[in-house]
Coordinates of all heavy atoms in Angstrom, one line a residue:
M1 N -17.8 27.0 -6.2 CA -17.0 25.8 -6.1 C -15.6 26.1 -6.7 O -15.5 26.7 -7.8 CB -17.6 24.7 -7.0 CG -17.0 23.4 -6.9 SD -17.9 22.2 -7.8 CE -19.4 22.1 -6.9
S2 N -14.5 25.8 -6.0 CA -13.2 26.2 -6.5 C -12.5 25.0 -7.1 O -12.6 23.9 -6.5 CB -12.4 26.7 -5.3 OG -12.2 25.7 -4.3
K3 N -11.8 25.2 -8.1 CA -11.0 24.2 -8.8 C -9.6 24.6 -8.7 O -9.2 25.7 -9.2 CB -11.5 24.1 -10.3 CG -11.0 22.8 -10.9 CD -11.6 22.6 -12.3 CE -12.9 21.8 -12.2 NZ -13.3 21.3 -13.6
R4 N -8.8 23.7 -8.1 CA -7.3 24.0 -8.0 C -6.6 23.1 -9.0 O -6.9 22.0 -9.2 CB -6.9 23.6 -6.5 CG -5.5 23.9 -6.2 CD -5.4 23.8 -4.7 NE -6.0 22.7 -4.0 CZ -5.4 21.5 -3.9 NH1 -4.2 21.3 -4.3 NH2 -6.0 20.5 -3.3
K5 N -5.5 23.7 -9.6 CA -4.7 22.9 -10.5 C -3.5 22.4 -9.9 O -2.9 23.0 -9.1 CB -4.3 23.8 -11.7 CG -5.5 24.3 -12.6 CD -5.0 25.2 -13.7 CE -6.2 25.7 -14.5 NZ -5.8 26.7 -15.5
S6 N -3.2 21.1 -10.2 CA -1.9 20.5 -9.7 C -1.3 19.8 -10.9 O -1.7 18.7 -11.2 CB -2.2 19.6 -8.6 OG -1.0 19.1 -8.1
G7 N -0.5 20.5 -11.7 CA 0.0 20.0 -12.9 C -1.1 19.9 -13.9 O -1.8 20.8 -14.2
K8 N -1.3 18.7 -14.5 CA -2.3 18.4 -15.5 C -3.7 18.0 -14.8 O -4.6 17.6 -15.5 CB -1.9 17.3 -16.4 CG -0.6 17.7 -17.3 CD -0.2 16.5 -18.1 CE 1.1 16.8 -18.9 NZ 1.6 15.6 -19.5
I9 N -3.7 18.0 -13.5 CA -4.9 17.5 -12.9 C -5.6 18.7 -12.1 O -4.9 19.4 -11.3 CB -4.6 16.3 -12.0 CG1 -4.1 15.2 -12.8 CG2 -5.8 15.9 -11.1 CD1 -3.6 14.0 -12.1
A10 N -6.9 18.8 -12.2 CA -7.6 19.8 -11.5 C -8.3 19.1 -10.3 O -8.8 18.0 -10.5 CB -8.6 20.5 -12.4
I11 N -8.4 19.8 -9.2 CA -9.0 19.2 -8.0 C -10.1 20.2 -7.5 O -9.9 21.3 -7.3 CB -7.9 19.1 -6.9 CG1 -6.8 18.2 -7.4 CG2 -8.5 18.6 -5.6 CD1 -5.5 18.2 -6.5
T12 N -11.3 19.6 -7.4 CA -12.4 20.3 -6.8 C -12.8 19.6 -5.5 O -13.6 18.7 -5.4 CB -13.6 20.2 -7.8 OG1 -13.2 20.7 -9.1 CG2 -14.8 21.1 -7.3
S13 N -12.1 20.0 -4.5 CA -12.1 19.3 -3.2 C -13.4 19.3 -2.5 O -13.7 18.4 -1.7 CB -11.0 19.7 -2.3 OG -11.1 21.1 -2.0
E14 N -14.3 20.3 -2.8 CA -15.6 20.3 -2.2 C -16.4 19.1 -2.4 O -17.3 18.7 -1.6 CB -16.4 21.5 -2.7 CG -15.9 22.9 -2.2 CD -14.9 23.5 -3.2 OE1 -14.3 22.7 -4.0 OE2 -14.9 24.7 -3.3
N15 N -16.2 18.4 -3.5 CA -17.0 17.2 -3.8 C -16.5 15.9 -3.2 O -17.1 14.9 -3.3 CB -17.0 17.0 -5.4 CG -17.7 18.1 -6.1 OD1 -18.4 18.9 -5.5 ND2 -17.5 18.1 -7.4
C16 N -15.3 16.0 -2.5 CA -14.7 14.8 -2.1 C -15.4 14.1 -0.9 O -15.7 14.8 0.1 CB -13.2 15.1 -1.7 SG -12.3 13.6 -1.1
T17 N -15.6 12.8 -1.0 CA -16.3 12.1 0.1 C -15.3 11.4 1.0 O -15.7 10.8 2.0 CB -17.2 11.0 -0.5 OG1 -16.3 10.0 -1.2 CG2 -18.2 11.6 -1.5
G18 N -14.0 11.4 0.6 CA -13.0 10.7 1.4 C -13.0 9.2 1.2 O -12.4 8.5 2.0
C19 N -13.5 8.8 0.1 CA -13.6 7.3 -0.2 C -12.3 6.6 -0.4 O -12.2 5.4 -0.2 CB -14.6 7.0 -1.4 SG -13.8 7.5 -2.9
L20 N -11.3 7.4 -0.8 CA -9.9 6.9 -1.0 C -9.7 6.0 -2.2 O -8.7 5.4 -2.3 CB -9.4 6.2 0.3 CG -9.2 7.1 1.5 CD1 -8.8 6.3 2.7 CD2 -8.2 8.2 1.3
R21 N -10.7 5.9 -3.0 CA -10.5 5.1 -4.3 C -9.3 5.6 -5.1 O -8.6 4.8 -5.6 CB -11.8 5.1 -5.1 CG -12.9 4.2 -4.7 CD -14.2 4.4 -5.4 NE -14.0 4.3 -6.9 CZ -14.3 3.3 -7.6 NH1 -14.8 2.2 -7.0 NH2 -14.2 3.3 -8.9
C22 N -9.2 6.9 -5.1 CA -8.1 7.5 -5.9 C -6.7 7.0 -5.4 O -5.8 6.6 -6.1 CB -8.2 9.0 -5.9 SG -8.2 9.7 -4.2
A23 N -6.6 7.1 -4.1 CA -5.3 6.8 -3.4 C -5.0 5.3 -3.5 O -3.9 4.8 -3.7 CB -5.3 7.3 -2.0
L24 N -6.1 4.5 -3.3 CA -5.9 3.0 -3.4 C -5.5 2.6 -4.8 O -4.7 1.8 -5.0 CB -7.2 2.3 -3.0 CG -7.5 2.4 -1.5 CD1 -8.9 1.9 -1.1 CD2 -6.5 1.6 -0.7
A25 N -6.2 3.2 -5.8 CA -5.8 2.9 -7.2 C -4.4 3.3 -7.5 O -3.6 2.6 -8.1 CB -6.8 3.6 -8.1
C26 N -4.0 4.5 -7.0 CA -2.6 4.9 -7.3 C -1.6 3.9 -6.6 O -0.7 3.5 -7.2 CB -2.4 6.3 -6.7 SG -0.7 6.9 -7.0
S27 N -1.9 3.5 -5.4 CA -1.0 2.6 -4.7 C -0.9 1.3 -5.4 O 0.2 0.7 -5.5 CB -1.4 2.4 -3.3 OG -2.6 1.5 -3.2
F28 N -2.0 0.8 -6.0 CA -2.0 -0.5 -6.7 C -1.2 -0.4 -8.0 O -0.3 -1.1 -8.3 CB -3.4 -1.0 -6.9 CG -3.4 -2.3 -7.5 CD1 -3.4 -3.5 -6.7 CD2 -3.5 -2.5 -8.9 CE1 -3.5 -4.7 -7.3 CE2 -3.5 -3.8 -9.5 CZ -3.5 -4.9 -8.7
F29 N -1.6 0.6 -8.8 CA -1.1 0.6 -10.2 C 0.3 1.3 -10.3 O 1.0 1.0 -11.3 CB -2.1 1.4 -11.1 CG -3.4 0.6 -11.4 CD1 -4.5 1.0 -10.8 CD2 -3.3 -0.5 -12.2 CE1 -5.7 0.3 -11.0 CE2 -4.5 -1.2 -12.4 CZ -5.7 -0.8 -11.8
K30 N 0.7 2.1 -9.4 CA 1.9 2.8 -9.5 C 3.0 2.3 -8.6 O 4.1 3.0 -8.5 CB 1.7 4.3 -9.2 CG 0.6 5.0 -10.1 CD 0.9 4.9 -11.6 CE 2.0 6.0 -11.9 NZ 2.2 6.0 -13.4
S31 N 2.8 1.2 -8.0 CA 3.9 0.6 -7.2 C 4.2 -0.8 -7.7 O 3.4 -1.5 -8.3 CB 3.5 0.5 -5.7 OG 2.6 -0.5 -5.5
S32 N 5.4 -1.2 -7.5 CA 5.9 -2.5 -8.0 C 5.2 -3.6 -7.2 O 5.1 -4.7 -7.7 CB 7.4 -2.6 -8.0 OG 7.8 -2.4 -6.6
E33 N 4.8 -3.3 -6.0 CA 4.1 -4.4 -5.2 C 2.8 -4.8 -5.7 O 2.4 -5.9 -5.4 CB 3.9 -3.8 -3.7 CG 5.2 -3.5 -3.0 CD 4.9 -2.8 -1.7 OE1 3.8 -2.9 -1.2 OE2 5.8 -2.1 -1.2
K34 N 2.1 -3.9 -6.4 CA 0.7 -4.2 -6.9 C -0.2 -4.7 -5.7 O -0.8 -5.7 -5.7 CB 0.7 -5.3 -8.0 CG 1.4 -4.8 -9.3 CD 0.6 -3.7 -9.9 CE 1.2 -3.2 -11.2 NZ 2.2 -2.1 -11.0
T35 N -0.1 -3.9 -4.7 CA -1.0 -4.1 -3.5 C -1.7 -2.8 -3.2 O -1.2 -1.7 -3.5 CB -0.3 -4.6 -2.3 OG1 0.8 -3.6 -2.0 CG2 0.4 -5.9 -2.5
F36 N -2.9 -2.9 -2.5 CA -3.5 -1.7 -2.0 C -2.9 -1.2 -0.7 O -3.1 -1.8 0.3 CB -5.0 -1.9 -1.9 CG -5.7 -2.3 -3.2 CD1 -6.1 -3.6 -3.4 CD2 -6.0 -1.3 -4.1 CE1 -6.8 -3.9 -4.6 CE2 -6.6 -1.6 -5.3 CZ -7.0 -2.9 -5.6
N37 N -2.1 -0.2 -0.8 CA -1.3 0.2 0.4 C -1.2 1.7 0.3 O -0.4 2.3 -0.5 CB 0.1 -0.5 0.3 CG 0.9 -0.1 1.5 OD1 0.6 0.9 2.3 ND2 2.0 -0.8 1.7
L38 N -2.0 2.4 1.1 CA -2.0 3.8 1.1 C -0.7 4.5 1.3 O -0.4 5.6 0.8 CB -3.0 4.4 2.1 CG -4.5 4.1 1.8 CD1 -5.4 4.6 3.0 CD2 -4.9 4.7 0.5
S39 N 0.2 3.8 1.9 CA 1.6 4.4 2.1 C 2.3 4.5 0.8 O 3.3 5.3 0.7 CB 2.4 3.7 3.2 OG 2.6 2.4 2.7
N40 N 1.9 3.8 -0.2 CA 2.5 3.9 -1.5 C 1.8 4.9 -2.5 O 2.3 5.1 -3.6 CB 2.5 2.5 -2.2 CG 3.5 1.6 -1.5 OD1 4.5 2.0 -0.9 ND2 3.2 0.3 -1.6
S41 N 0.8 5.5 -2.0 CA 0.0 6.4 -2.9 C 0.7 7.7 -3.1 O 1.3 8.2 -2.1 CB -1.4 6.6 -2.3 OG -2.1 7.5 -3.1
K42 N 0.6 8.3 -4.3 CA 1.2 9.6 -4.5 C 0.2 10.7 -4.4 O 0.4 11.8 -4.6 CB 1.8 9.6 -5.9 CG 2.9 8.4 -6.0 CD 3.3 8.2 -7.4 CE 4.0 6.9 -7.6 NZ 4.8 6.4 -6.5
I43 N -1.1 10.3 -4.1 CA -2.1 11.3 -3.8 C -2.6 11.0 -2.3 O -2.7 9.9 -1.9 CB -3.3 11.2 -4.8 CG1 -4.3 12.2 -4.5 CG2 -3.9 9.8 -4.8 CD1 -5.4 12.3 -5.6
T44 N -2.7 12.1 -1.6 CA -3.2 12.0 -0.2 C -4.5 12.7 0.0 O -4.7 13.7 -0.6 CB -2.1 12.6 0.8 OG1 -1.9 14.0 0.4 CG2 -0.8 11.8 0.8
V45 N -5.4 12.1 0.7 CA -6.7 12.6 1.1 C -6.8 12.6 2.6 O -6.8 11.5 3.2 CB -7.8 11.8 0.4 CG1 -9.2 12.4 0.8 CG2 -7.6 11.7 -1.1
V46 N -6.9 13.7 3.2 CA -6.9 13.8 4.7 C -8.0 14.8 5.1 O -8.3 15.8 4.4 CB -5.6 14.2 5.3 CG1 -4.5 13.2 5.0 CG2 -5.1 15.6 4.8
P47 N -8.7 14.5 6.2 CA -9.7 15.4 6.7 C -9.0 16.8 7.0 O -7.9 16.9 7.6 CB -10.2 14.8 8.0 CG -9.8 13.4 7.9 CD -8.5 13.3 7.1
A48 N -9.8 17.9 6.7 CA -9.3 19.2 7.1 C -9.3 19.4 8.6 O -10.0 18.6 9.3 CB -10.2 20.3 6.4
Y49 N -8.7 20.4 9.1 CA -8.6 20.6 10.5 C -9.9 20.6 11.2 O -10.1 20.0 12.3 CB -7.8 21.9 10.8 CG -7.6 22.2 12.2 CD1 -6.7 21.5 13.0 CD2 -8.4 23.2 12.8 CE1 -6.6 21.8 14.4 CE2 -8.2 23.5 14.2 CZ -7.3 22.8 14.9 OH -7.2 23.1 16.3
D50 N -10.9 21.3 10.6 CA -12.2 21.4 11.2 C -13.2 20.2 10.8 O -14.4 20.3 11.1 CB -12.9 22.7 10.8 CG -13.1 22.9 9.3 OD1 -12.9 21.9 8.6 OD2 -13.6 24.0 8.9
L51 N -12.6 19.3 10.1 CA -13.4 18.1 9.6 C -14.6 18.4 8.7 O -15.4 17.5 8.5 CB -13.9 17.3 10.8 CG -12.8 16.8 11.9 CD1 -13.5 16.1 13.0 CD2 -11.8 16.0 11.2
S52 N -14.6 19.6 8.1 CA -15.7 19.9 7.3 C -15.6 19.5 5.8 O -16.5 19.5 5.0 CB -15.9 21.5 7.3 OG -14.8 22.1 6.7
R53 N -14.4 19.1 5.5 CA -14.1 18.7 4.1 C -12.8 17.9 4.1 O -12.2 17.6 5.2 CB -13.9 19.9 3.2 CG -12.8 20.8 3.7 CD -12.8 22.2 3.1 NE -11.9 23.1 3.8 CZ -10.5 23.1 3.7 NH1 -10.0 22.2 2.8 NH2 -9.8 23.9 4.4
F54 N -12.4 17.5 2.9 CA -11.1 16.7 2.8 C -10.1 17.6 2.0 O -10.5 18.3 1.1 CB -11.3 15.4 2.1 CG -12.1 14.4 2.9 CD1 -13.5 14.4 2.8 CD2 -11.5 13.6 3.8 CE1 -14.2 13.5 3.6 CE2 -12.2 12.7 4.6 CZ -13.6 12.7 4.5
E55 N -8.8 17.4 2.4 CA -7.8 18.1 1.7 C -7.0 17.1 0.8 O -6.7 16.0 1.3 CB -6.8 18.8 2.7 CG -7.4 19.9 3.4 CD -6.5 20.6 4.4 OE1 -5.5 20.0 4.7 OE2 -6.8 21.7 4.8
I56 N -6.8 17.4 -0.4 CA -6.2 16.5 -1.4 C -4.9 17.1 -1.9 O -4.9 18.3 -2.3 CB -7.2 16.3 -2.6 CG1 -8.5 15.7 -2.0 CG2 -6.6 15.4 -3.6 CD1 -9.7 15.9 -3.0
A57 N -3.9 16.3 -2.0 CA -2.6 16.8 -2.5 C -2.0 15.7 -3.3 O -2.0 14.5 -3.0 CB -1.7 17.2 -1.3
L58 N -1.3 16.1 -4.4 CA -0.5 15.2 -5.2 C 0.9 15.4 -4.8 O 1.4 16.6 -4.7 CB -0.7 15.5 -6.7 CG -2.1 15.4 -7.2 CD1 -2.1 15.8 -8.7 CD2 -2.7 14.1 -7.0
G59 N 1.6 14.3 -4.6 CA 3.0 14.4 -4.2 C 4.0 14.8 -5.3 O 3.6 14.7 -6.5
D60 N 5.2 15.1 -4.9 CA 6.2 15.5 -5.9 C 6.5 14.3 -6.8 O 7.0 14.5 -7.9 CB 7.5 15.9 -5.2 CG 7.3 17.3 -4.5 OD1 6.4 18.0 -4.8 OD2 8.1 17.5 -3.6
D61 N 6.3 13.1 -6.3 CA 6.6 11.9 -7.2 C 5.4 11.5 -8.1 O 5.5 10.5 -8.8 CB 7.0 10.7 -6.3 CG 6.0 10.5 -5.1 OD1 5.0 11.3 -5.0 OD2 6.2 9.5 -4.4
C62 N 4.3 12.3 -8.1 CA 3.2 12.0 -9.0 C 3.6 12.4 -10.4 O 4.2 13.4 -10.7 CB 2.0 12.9 -8.6 SG 0.7 13.0 -9.8
D63 N 3.4 11.4 -11.3 CA 3.8 11.7 -12.7 C 2.6 12.1 -13.6 O 2.7 12.1 -14.8 CB 4.5 10.4 -13.3 CG 3.5 9.2 -13.4 OD1 2.3 9.4 -13.1 OD2 3.9 8.1 -13.8
Q64 N 1.5 12.5 -13.0 CA 0.3 13.0 -13.7 C -0.3 12.0 -14.6 O -0.9 12.4 -15.6 CB 0.8 14.3 -14.5 CG 1.5 15.3 -13.6 CD 0.6 16.1 -12.8 OE1 -0.4 16.6 -13.3 NE2 1.0 16.3 -11.5
C65 N -0.2 10.7 -14.3 CA -0.7 9.7 -15.2 C -2.2 9.7 -15.4 O -2.7 9.3 -16.4 CB -0.2 8.3 -14.8 SG -1.1 7.8 -13.3
G66 N -2.9 10.2 -14.4 CA -4.4 10.3 -14.5 C -5.1 9.1 -14.1 O -6.4 9.1 -14.1
I67 N -4.5 8.0 -13.6 CA -5.2 6.8 -13.2 C -6.2 7.2 -12.0 O -7.3 6.7 -12.0 CB -4.2 5.7 -12.7 CG1 -3.5 5.2 -14.0 CG2 -4.9 4.6 -12.0 CD1 -2.4 4.2 -13.6
C68 N -5.7 8.0 -11.1 CA -6.6 8.4 -10.0 C -7.9 9.1 -10.5 O -9.0 8.9 -9.9 CB -5.9 9.2 -9.0 SG -5.1 10.7 -9.7
V69 N -7.7 9.8 -11.5 CA -8.9 10.6 -12.1 C -10.0 9.6 -12.5 O -11.2 9.8 -12.3 CB -8.5 11.4 -13.3 CG1 -9.7 12.1 -14.0 CG2 -7.4 12.5 -12.8
Q70 N -9.5 8.5 -13.1 CA -10.5 7.5 -13.6 C -11.3 6.8 -12.5 O -12.4 6.3 -12.7 CB -9.7 6.4 -14.4 CG -9.0 6.9 -15.6 CD -8.2 5.7 -16.2 OE1 -8.6 4.6 -16.3 NE2 -7.0 6.1 -16.7
Y71 N -10.7 6.8 -11.3 CA -11.3 6.0 -10.2 C -12.1 6.9 -9.3 O -12.8 6.4 -8.4 CB -10.2 5.3 -9.4 CG -9.9 4.0 -10.2 CD1 -8.9 4.0 -11.2 CD2 -10.5 2.8 -9.9 CE1 -8.6 2.9 -11.9 CE2 -10.2 1.6 -10.6 CZ -9.2 1.7 -11.6 OH -8.9 0.5 -12.3
C72 N -12.1 8.2 -9.5 CA -12.9 9.1 -8.7 C -14.3 9.2 -9.3 O -14.4 9.7 -10.5 CB -12.3 10.5 -8.6 SG -13.3 11.6 -7.6
E73 N -15.3 8.8 -8.6 CA -16.7 8.9 -9.1 C -17.4 10.1 -8.7 O -18.6 10.2 -9.0 CB -17.4 7.6 -8.6 CG -16.9 6.3 -9.0 CD -17.7 5.1 -8.6 OE1 -18.4 5.3 -7.6 OE2 -17.6 4.1 -9.2
F74 N -16.8 11.1 -8.1 CA -17.4 12.3 -7.6 C -17.0 13.6 -8.2 O -17.2 14.6 -7.7 CB -17.3 12.3 -6.1 CG -17.9 11.1 -5.4 CD1 -17.1 10.0 -5.1 CD2 -19.2 11.1 -5.1 CE1 -17.7 8.9 -4.5 CE2 -19.8 10.0 -4.5 CZ -19.0 8.9 -4.2
D75 N -16.3 13.4 -9.4 CA -15.9 14.6 -10.2 C -15.0 15.5 -9.4 O -15.0 16.8 -9.5 CB -17.1 15.4 -10.7 CG -17.9 14.6 -11.7 OD1 -17.2 13.7 -12.4 OD2 -19.1 14.7 -11.8
V76 N -14.2 15.0 -8.5 CA -13.2 15.8 -7.7 C -12.0 16.0 -8.6 O -11.5 17.1 -8.6 CB -12.8 15.1 -6.4 CG1 -11.8 15.9 -5.7 CG2 -14.1 14.9 -5.5
L77 N -11.6 14.9 -9.2 CA -10.3 15.0 -10.0 C -10.7 15.0 -11.5 O -11.6 14.3 -11.9 CB -9.5 13.7 -9.7 CG -9.2 13.5 -8.2 CD1 -8.5 12.1 -8.1 CD2 -8.3 14.6 -7.7
S78 N -10.0 15.8 -12.2 CA -10.3 15.9 -13.7 C -9.0 16.2 -14.4 O -8.1 16.9 -13.8 CB -11.4 16.9 -14.0 OG -11.1 18.1 -13.5
R79 N -8.9 15.8 -15.6 CA -7.7 16.1 -16.4 C -7.9 17.5 -17.0 O -9.0 17.9 -17.5 CB -7.5 15.1 -17.6 CG -7.2 13.7 -17.2 CD -5.9 13.6 -16.5 NE -4.8 14.0 -17.3 CZ -3.8 13.1 -17.6 NH1 -3.8 11.9 -17.2 NH2 -2.8 13.5 -18.4
I80 N -6.8 18.3 -17.1 CA -6.8 19.6 -17.7 C -6.3 19.3 -19.2 O -5.2 18.8 -19.3 CB -5.9 20.6 -17.0 CG1 -6.3 20.8 -15.6 CG2 -5.8 21.9 -17.8 CD1 -5.4 21.5 -14.7
S81 N -7.1 19.6 -20.1 CA -6.7 19.4 -21.5 C -5.7 20.4 -22.0 O -5.6 21.5 -21.4 CB -7.9 19.4 -22.4 OG -8.6 20.6 -22.3
G82 N -4.9 20.1 -23.0 CA -4.0 21.0 -23.5 C -2.6 20.8 -23.0 O -2.3 20.0 -22.1
Ligands
LIG101 S1 -1.8 11.1 -11.4 FE1 -1.0 8.9 -11.3 S2 0.8 9.1 -10.0 FE2 -0.3 10.9 -9.7 S3 -1.6 10.5 -7.9 FE3 -2.9 10.0 -9.7 S4 -2.5 7.8 -10.1 FE4 -0.9 8.5 -8.7
LIG102 S1 -10.9 12.5 -4.7 FE1 -12.6 11.2 -5.4 S2 -11.8 9.1 -5.2 FE2 -10.4 10.4 -4.0 S3 -11.2 10.3 -1.9 FE3 -12.2 12.1 -2.9 S4 -14.1 11.3 -3.8 FE4 -12.8 9.5 -3.3

């Protein structure tokens, strides 16, 4: 199982179900609109080319707040301590 670091957040994409809770939470809490709108999310979850897994990326505008981590129930996202 590989864990990739993106700033203060580690990503273990093998566990991702594509549920999009992380992206929906980001869009709600991190936009002034306070609506569930994936176009406002700073984290993207998209199927890989071969559809065998999901690819997760944090945008340059992500401030590493960790809200998305709290909403992932599959241990894909985690905070890196220190
Ligand atoms: S760390 Fe915060 S800003 Fe970055 S994707 Fe997660 S919820 Fe959005
Ligand atoms: S990272 Fe977690 S919350 Fe986000 S789509 Fe994957 S399983 Fe769902």
Side-chain angles (χ1 to χ4, degrees):
M1 188 174 293
S2 64
K3 192 172 270 195
R4 180 165 50 87
K5 293 179 184 174
S6 184
K8 296 176 184 169
I9 296 176
I11 301 171
T12 308
S13 57
E14 290 94 330
N15 294 346
C16 181
T17 65
C19 70
L20 295 176
R21 278 173 56 100
C22 54
L24 290 168
C26 180
S27 75
F28 184 88
F29 290 108
K30 304 299 283 187
S31 73
S32 55
E33 295 173 20
K34 293 291 179 277
T35 57
F36 296 106
N37 181 347
L38 290 175
S39 65
N40 289 334
S41 176
K42 304 168 197 325
I43 181 170
T44 56
V45 181
V46 295
Y49 180 73
D50 65 1
L51 304 180
S52 66
R53 59 190 168 80
F54 291 92
E55 292 180 344
I56 301 161
L58 301 180
D60 291 340
D61 51 354
C62 166
D63 65 5
Q64 309 281 314
C65 71
I67 290 174
C68 56
V69 175
Q70 297 173 40
Y71 282 85
C72 179
E73 296 183 339
F74 299 93
D75 295 329
V76 176
L77 307 173
S78 57
R79 293 297 295 243
I80 300 169
S81 56

